[in-house]
Each structure stands twice: as structure tokens, then as C-alpha cells.
């Protein structure tokens, strides 16, 4: 049985629905040592900022039950150097690239969108408006409708490629933020970013992260992510969703598609296995054939889902 | 300062299904040998491997310095301390069981110039990769000495085995004086460097020890290569958790221990900046950082 793995992500058509989660794949070079990364549906690169950033002090990582906390603080070479060193390599390798951008201010998003405007070979922009590891929680744009609109509209006004808004689950109603993102011109949303978390070493009585708090990722957060995707898919039918959060197995990919995602991102699983993303691309057709599916489109949405009790 | 050369370029890492050959006590630590021929033939001293663990509720691989590799026999050995559920799970493995391995990872210790004497300094189980290096360096034409230090005799990594591997070349220190010289590794370093006329120092162990050894090397204008340890999620260069502040052409920058290290020039590590926030790099005139 031949299986059609291609995925419609709004205006984009991907070779398969498996993409990488920003911040878990660098810009691809390191993982390309293990497999040909151009075989993925898309590579969403680590967030790039206007200026280079050195990030937060160490320790930056703590493993937790079925998950991990990280507080990197957006360490990256800055947009100028990223465009000079990373994008040409990705283009040359024929990798479908979604560039993730992050800003401290609304104006940062404008400047980043402007810098990317005339760059050929980009599939889309992901506006990371939800990084939890910033000096000031007040600048997590995606925590508020107003700031979501202000940051995103800068990008959508300038971009020639589709813009996806990366949202945080740390809000009362993620569908309200998703609606604002759509109305600000976003082609779709990427859900979810990490949840803000914390762990304390009880022997030393110190927080396990130098930054005290950090983003929780891994299988521990998957039910939260599936819920968020499902809520947005029901509230805003037709808005393309890149679903992510704890994806590790082919069944996880299928679950996110059934929740309403059009593409599924692999994040922390790559830390545990550098081949995680490509193993899902390779494993998906067999699972689909075994279960009587011939296309990714058939996997989208779940059967007879009752309306969520609480919205 | 004697220039160091690296005759062998590290090869790309692999992910393989290894097999447990043995799990043995080595003093207070555990030595795990895996059968993984494709990885074994690529290993160089100073590099590390990461091992998949299946302990309850764990997620991440465990990175370990390579303690030995047999290109002919196909074995890769690591030595670790049981500190949590992952290492406890690994210590319970039995011969013949499968184990997921990624490696070799990171940059190896640069080779010293021909004929130049070397002093190797290992703290606790940090002595394991230095024994691997010692075996590679001991060609009979250069003096090689190994200092093994720990808080007490009970925390030393199998000193008798070290003495067998490097006869007459091992110096032990314990902070409580329960074995070898009383004190820290740096207390014996000057005399040893005088005796051996060593040109290069190599060290692996706790960060405070590495900083002290690097300072001593600096005072004596000796080259010093340190293998650092930092909390690491991926081990392959993408998670950005294992960074160390290192001086370069653009000042002190956070470099990844997993791909830019774990071996750094001791003179380049900004020891005082460990665990602190670095100021943002200068804007404007950006130069190429990557080699």
C-alpha cells in the first residue's frame, strides 16, 4: 500500500508532517552529521534575535520526571551572522527552512522581519513570542492579547512568507491568543512552547537552574500540548497548527494530527536521540499502512469528539 | 608555551546499538564496557560517549568520558559514579544486554609535541580518561606521570590498576591523608613538574580542580588541556545547555562543552566567569567566530 506522506500546512506543502521544534535542533548542522536533514518536512531553527546573545548562566538544564527544564536565554549569533553563516548552508543543502525569530521589543520583531524580507529560500517565519527564559516575564508577548497583536502585526506586515505564531500554554485561554494572532495576519500557530517550571535541589537548598525558573519540555507536557492543539482547532477551524510538546513516537505524531495539527514538531526527543525526527518520518508510513490510512490528510481530526467541558 | 599538535582529526559520531560486555566495580565507581566496534575504532582520548538509559521517568542520555577503547576488540569503556537513577540503572546492567550508544563526541586532547614529557591530573573518576590518554602517550620515549586526587582513599579511582598501567608514574593525593600525599593535586604539582620537566599538562575532574591546575600551568608558562564537565542534555551541540565561558578573538563567549570541548585550553577558560552571566558581545564590527 502506498502512503501519501505530504502535509498541507496552510499555504505550504511539506514532504511530510514531521518538522523540528525551535531550540532543539540548532540550525541543523550538528544533526546533519547523523542523517540528511533535508528529508524532514521542515527545519525550524533556533530562535534568532537582532543582536547576538550569550544567554543565561549555567546550570541551564535539569532533568525532571519524564521531562526537562531548560533556561538558555536565547543564546544565538544574532540575525546578521546567522544570515551570513547558517542560511546559505541550509539553502545549499536544500533544507525547507522555517526561521524562528525572537525579540525583546515590538521594534525587534519589525527589524527582524525587515532583515528577512528579501532573503530567498525561506519557507516561513515562526515568530517566537513566548520564550519563557527572558529577564522580564512582562515581555512574554504571547501572555497578553495586546502584545501578541503588536509583535505579530510587525512581522506579518513586512513578511513575504507565511508567519506562524509560537504560543505559550501558560495563559488562561490559549484560543483567545490564537485568535488575536490570526487576526494580526498569522498564517498559523505553533503550539506549544515550554511551560514555565522550577525545581529545587533539596540537598543544597538551591534551585537547580541558575536562572531559577525555566521551560519544561518532554513527554511530561504532551497532554497539555494535545489539549491546546485541540482547543485551537475547535475554536478556530481552518487555522493551520504546528503541534508539539513531548513528541517521541509515531503514535505521538498521529495523536497531534488527530487533535487538529497539520504538522508535528519534534523537540526534546532529539536530545535523547539525535535521529528521533527522521525515525518518525521513516516509521509513519508503516503505522499508517497497518491502520488503513493512505494519506496524512486522513489522520487530521478526531472522531466524534465531544465539545470540551471547559474552554 | 609549547605548541600542541593534533595529528588525528576526530571523526563524525555514530548512533549504534551496543551490547554490555561487563559491569565492574572500580574502587567506589563503576566501569561499564560496551561492545560497539564502529564507535570503538573512532575514539580518541578526551572524547566522550552518551549512553541511552531506560530508568523509570528518565528521558536524557548520560554522557561519560571514554575511559578506554579497543579498536581491535571493539570495546568502549566508561567509568562513572552512581549519583542518580540513570547511573543506578546503568550499574545494574548485565553482560549481553543491549545499550544505545552515541559517540565518539567532542574534541579529543591535542597530542603533545614529540618527546615532550606530560603530567596528567585526574580528580576522582576524572582520572579515567587520563589513564586512557596515558596509555596512548606512553611510547617509552617521553616521561608521563599521573596525579590522582580525591577527598579520601575511598574516593580514589582504583590506584593499583593505575600503578600497573603506568609503573612508577602514579602519584596519589587525598585531602584527608588516608592514602598517598596529604593535600590536593596542586600541592604535588610543582615538584612533579620539576622532576619530569613536563611540557604539557592534561587534567580532568571537578571545575575547581581544573581551575587550580590551569592557574599553576599559567604560572609556569606550560600548556594545559582541561576536559570540563557541565550539565548536558543532548551531547551533540543543539541544546546549548553545557556552555563554558571561553576567551576567544571576540572576548569571553559561551562555548558548548559537547562540540567546542569538552577539551579546552586551560588558559582560555574564563574560570572566574563560570556560572555567571556574560555581557552581550559588542555590536557592529562582528567577526567570524567559528573556525
Amino acid at each position: 500500500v502506498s502512503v501519501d506522506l505530504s502535509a498541507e500546512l496552510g499555504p505550504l506543502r511539506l514532504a511530510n508532517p514531521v518538522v523540528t521544534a525551535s531550540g532543539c535542533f540548532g540550525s541543523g548542522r550538528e544533526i546533519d552529521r547523523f542523517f540528511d536533514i533535508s528529508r524532514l518536512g521542515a527545519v525550524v531553527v533556533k530562535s534568532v534575535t537582532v543582536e547576538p546573545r550569550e544567554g543565561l548562566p549555567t546550570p541551564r538544564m535539569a532533568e525532571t520526571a519524564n521531562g526537562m527544564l531548560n533556561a538558555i536565554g536565547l543564546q544565538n549569533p544574532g540575525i546578521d551572522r546567522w544570515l551570513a553563516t547558517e542560511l546559505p548552508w541550509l539553502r545549499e543543502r536544500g533544507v525547507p527552512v522555517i526561521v524562528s525569530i525572537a525579540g525583546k521589543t515590538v521594534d525587534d520583531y519589525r527589524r527582524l522581519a525587515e532583515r528577512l524580507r528579501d532573503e530567498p529560500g525561506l519557507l516561513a517565519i515562526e515568530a517566537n513570542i513566548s520564550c519563557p527564559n527572558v529577564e522580564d516575564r512582562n515581555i512574554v508577548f504571547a501572555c497578553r492579547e495586546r502584545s501578541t497583536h503588536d509583535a505579530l502585526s510587525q512581522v506579518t506586515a513586512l513578511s513575504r512568507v507565511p508567519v506562524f505564531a509560537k504560543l505559550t500554554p501558560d495563559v488562561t485561554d490559549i484560543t483567545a491568543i490564537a485568535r488575536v494572532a490570526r487576526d494580526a495576519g498569522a498564517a498559523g500557530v505553533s503550539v506549544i512552547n515550554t511551560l514555565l517550571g522550577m525545581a529545587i535541589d533539596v540537598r543544597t537548598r538551591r534551585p537547580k537552574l541558575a536562572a531559577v525558573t525555566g521551560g519544561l519540555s518532554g513527554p511530561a507536557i504532551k497532554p497539555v500540548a494535545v489539549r491546546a492543539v485541540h482547543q485551537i482547532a475547535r475554536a478556530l477551524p481552518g487555522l493551520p497548527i504546528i503541534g508539539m510538546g513531548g513528541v517521541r513516537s509515531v503514535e505521538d505524531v498521529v495523536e497531534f494530527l488527530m487533535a487538529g495539527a497539520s504538522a508535528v514538531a519534534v523537540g526534546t526527543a532529539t536530545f535523547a536521540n539525535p535521529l528521533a525526527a527522521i525515525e518518525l518520518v521513516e516509521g509513519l508510513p508503516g503505522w499508517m499502512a497497518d491502520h488503513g490510512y493512505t494519506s496524512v490528510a486522513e489522520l487530521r481530526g478526531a472522531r466524534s469528539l465531544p465539545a470540551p467541558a471547559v474552554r | 608555551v609549547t605548541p600542541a599538535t593534533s595529528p588525528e582529526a576526530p571523526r563524525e559520531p555514530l548512533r549504534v546499538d551496543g551490547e554490555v560486555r561487563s559491569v565492574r566495580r572500580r574502587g567506589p565507581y563503576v566501569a561499564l564496557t560496551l561492545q560497539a566496534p564502529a564507535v570503538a575504532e573512532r575514539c580518541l582520548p578526551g572524547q566522550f560517549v552518551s549512553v541511552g538509559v531506560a530508568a523509570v521517568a528518565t528521558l536524557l542520555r548520560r554522557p561519560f568520558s571514554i575511559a578506554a577503547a579497543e579498536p581491535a576488540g571493539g570495546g568502549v569503556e566508561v567509568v562513572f559514579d552512581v549519583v542518580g537513577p540513570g547511573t543506578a540503572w546503568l550499574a545494574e546492567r548485565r553482560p549481553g544486554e543491549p545499550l544505545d550508544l552515541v559517540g565518539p563526541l567532542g574534541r579529543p586532547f591535542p597530542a603533545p609535541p614529540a618527546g615532550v614529557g606530560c603530567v596528567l591530573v585526574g580528580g576522582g573518576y576524572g582520572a579515567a580518561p587520563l589513564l586512557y590518554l596515558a596509555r596512548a602517550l606512553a611510547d617509552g620515549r617521553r616521561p608521563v606521570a599521573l596525579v590522582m586526587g580525591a577527598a579520601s582513599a575511598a574516593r580514589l579511582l582504583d590506584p593499583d590498576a593505575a600503578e600497573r598501567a603506568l609503573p612508577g608514574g602514579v602519584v596519589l593525593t587525598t585531602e584527608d591523608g588516608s592514602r598517598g600525599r596529604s593535600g590536593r593535586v596542586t600541592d604535588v604539582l610543582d615538584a612533579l613538574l620539576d622532576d619530569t620537566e613536563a611540557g604539557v599538562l592534561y587534567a580532568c575532574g571537578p571545575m575547581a580542580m581544573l581551575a587550580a591546575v590551569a592557574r599553576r600551568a599559567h604560572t609556569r608558562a606550560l600548556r594545559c588541556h582541561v576536559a570540563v564537565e557541565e550539565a548536558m542534555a543532548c551531547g551533540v551541540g543543539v541544546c546549548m545547555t553545557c556552555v563554558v565561558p571561553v576567551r576567544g578573538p571576540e572576548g569571553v563567549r559561551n562555548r558548548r562543552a559537547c562540540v567546542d570541548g569538552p577539551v579546552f585550553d586551560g588558559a582560555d577558560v574564563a574560570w572566574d566567569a563560570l556560572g555567571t552571566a556574560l555581557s552581550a558581545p559588542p555590536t557592529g564590527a562582528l567577526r567570524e567566530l567559528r573556525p
Side-chain angles (χ1 to χ4, degrees):
Chain A
V1 183
S2 95
V3 168
D4 178 10
L5 267 196
S6 68
E8 302 283 346
L9 179 65
L12 306 173
R13 189 179 181 88
L14 310 181
N16 63 70
V18 178
V19 306
T20 64
S22 178
C24 302
F25 208 78
S27 287
R29 263 183 220 271
E30 294 84 359
I31 303 296
D32 199 56
R33 298 181 294 169
F34 293 93
F35 69 87
D36 175 2
I37 63 168
S38 68
R39 294 172 59 204
L40 295 172
V43 167
V44 184
V45 303
K46 179 166 173 64
S47 292
V48 185
T49 55
V50 173
E51 306 292 349
R53 288 180 64 115
E54 285 303 310
L56 292 160
T58 54
R60 291 177 166 187
M61 191 276 289
E63 193 175 28
T64 57
N66 290 311
M68 63 171 274
L69 291 165
N70 86 80
I72 310 299
L74 294 172
Q75 183 178 341
N76 81 95
I79 186 74
D80 288 343
R81 184 174 293 177
W82 187 83
L83 287 173
T85 62
E86 303 304 314
L87 186 56
W89 179 84
L90 288 161
R91 265 196 214 116
E92 190 186 311
R93 293 279 292 99
V95 178
V97 183
I98 299 180
V99 55
S100 170
I101 56 173
K104 275 187 188 172
T105 63
V106 167
D107 194 53
D108 279 355
Y109 287 96
R110 182 190 59 75
R111 291 169 69 188
L112 289 161
E114 220 166 59
R115 271 312 260 113
L116 292 169
R117 185 175 161 80
D118 296 318
E119 288 292 337
L122 291 175
L123 201 61
I125 290 174
E126 184 175 273
N128 178 3
I129 54 171
S130 51
C131 179
N133 298 318
V134 288
E135 297 86 345
D136 179 1
R137 287 289 297 166
N138 288 322
I139 65 168
V140 178
F141 295 87
C143 283
R144 290 177 184 78
E145 295 180 29
R146 177 69 189 268
S147 47
T148 296
H149 172 270
D150 291 350
L152 262 177
S153 50
Q154 295 292 330
V155 185
T156 56
L158 287 165
S159 179
R160 301 185 206 270
V161 294
V163 177
F164 287 79
K166 178 92 173 253
L167 304 186
T168 172
D170 289 339
V171 289
T172 309
D173 181 3
I174 198 167
T175 67
I177 303 290
R179 181 174 282 109
V180 169
R182 184 196 64 185
D183 295 346
V189 291
S190 300
V191 283
I192 58 176
N193 207 323
T194 54
L195 287 92
L196 192 66
M198 178 173 171
I200 297 169
D201 183 331
V202 295
R203 288 165 301 176
T204 63
R205 218 166 174 163
R206 291 202 171 102
K208 288 186 176 178
L209 299 175
V212 182
T213 59
L216 179 65
S217 66
I221 71 166
K222 198 189 80 176
V224 176
V226 171
R227 176 271 294 172
V229 170
H230 167 63
Q231 285 181 320
I232 294 169
R234 280 192 71 95
L236 304 163
L239 183 68
I241 301 170
I242 304 175
M244 73 199 78
V247 171
R248 190 159 50 169
S249 66
V250 169
E251 286 84 352
D252 294 337
V253 173
V254 172
E255 188 175 356
F256 272 93
L257 294 170
M258 289 181 175
S262 299
V264 181
V266 182
T268 305
T270 294
F271 299 164
N273 173 10
L275 293 149
I278 201 68
E279 285 176 3
L280 297 180
V281 174
E282 288 167 353
L284 189 55
W287 190 95
M288 289 168 64
D290 287 350
H291 293 81
Y293 295 97
T294 57
S295 75
V296 168
E298 290 167 17
L299 291 168
R300 296 249 356 260
R303 227 177 265 166
S304 317
L305 282 176
V310 180
R311 245 236 5 233
Chain B
V1 172
T2 323
T5 53
S6 190
E8 230 177 321
R11 291 164 68 189
E12 298 294 8
L14 304 170
R15 197 211 66 79
V16 302
D17 296 315
E19 187 183 299
V20 177
R21 213 157 78 183
S22 67
V23 182
R24 284 171 313 206
R25 284 266 148 206
R26 284 273 302 276
Y29 308 110
V30 177
L32 166 71
T33 304
L34 289 167
Q35 190 65 19
V39 173
E41 66 173 30
R42 294 173 173 231
C43 293
L44 295 170
Q47 292 187 292
F48 66 103
V49 292
S50 70
V51 182
V53 301
V56 173
T58 60
L59 180 69
L60 301 171
R61 315 177 74 81
R62 298 300 189 260
F64 302 111
S65 286
I66 299 164
E70 313 160 336
V76 178
E77 185 192 50
V78 297
V79 173
F80 56 87
D81 195 10
V82 173
V83 292
T87 44
W89 183 86
L90 280 173
E92 287 160 10
R93 293 310 92 206
R94 295 284 169 267
E97 288 182 358
L99 214 50
D100 168 8
L101 187 71
V102 170
L105 296 161
R107 294 171 187 264
F109 286 119
V116 169
C118 302
V119 168
L120 284 48
V121 185
Y125 62 94
L130 295 177
L131 272 166
Y132 177 27
L133 177 68
R135 287 189 291 269
L137 292 178
D139 57 3
R141 292 195 299 275
R142 78 167 93 242
V144 176
L146 171 67
V147 185
M148 292 171 64
S152 66
R155 303 299 296 166
L156 280 171
L157 170 69
D158 201 355
D160 301 324
E163 182 62 38
R164 282 194 298 277
L166 211 62
V170 180
V171 178
L172 305 176
T173 68
T174 53
E175 285 176 43
D176 66 357
S178 53
R179 183 144 181 198
R181 289 277 303 278
S182 180
R184 298 185 168 184
V185 291
T186 37
D187 295 331
V188 300
L189 214 45
D190 277 316
L192 195 62
L193 290 168
D194 291 339
D195 291 350
T196 56
E197 295 180 356
V200 186
L201 270 161
Y202 294 90
C204 180
M207 284 297 206
M209 186 206 88
L210 297 182
V213 171
R215 278 188 203 105
R216 194 57 55 96
H218 180 72
T219 308
R220 300 179 65 114
L222 291 176
R223 188 164 280 260
C224 171
H225 304 288
V226 297
V228 302
E229 193 176 69
E230 185 54 73
M232 192 178 277
C234 76
V236 297
V238 295
C239 75
M240 307 300 287
T241 63
C242 64
V243 297
V244 175
V246 177
R247 268 181 216 92
E250 295 185 325
V252 178
R253 295 288 166 263
N254 279 323
R255 308 294 303 272
R256 295 163 295 180
C258 63
V259 287
D260 302 317
V263 177
F264 291 104
D265 188 322
D268 292 340
V269 177
W271 301 102
D272 295 338
L274 278 171
T276 68
L278 299 185
S279 57
T283 58
L286 289 174
R287 283 160 303 172
E288 191 52 39
L289 186 67
R290 277 167 176 264

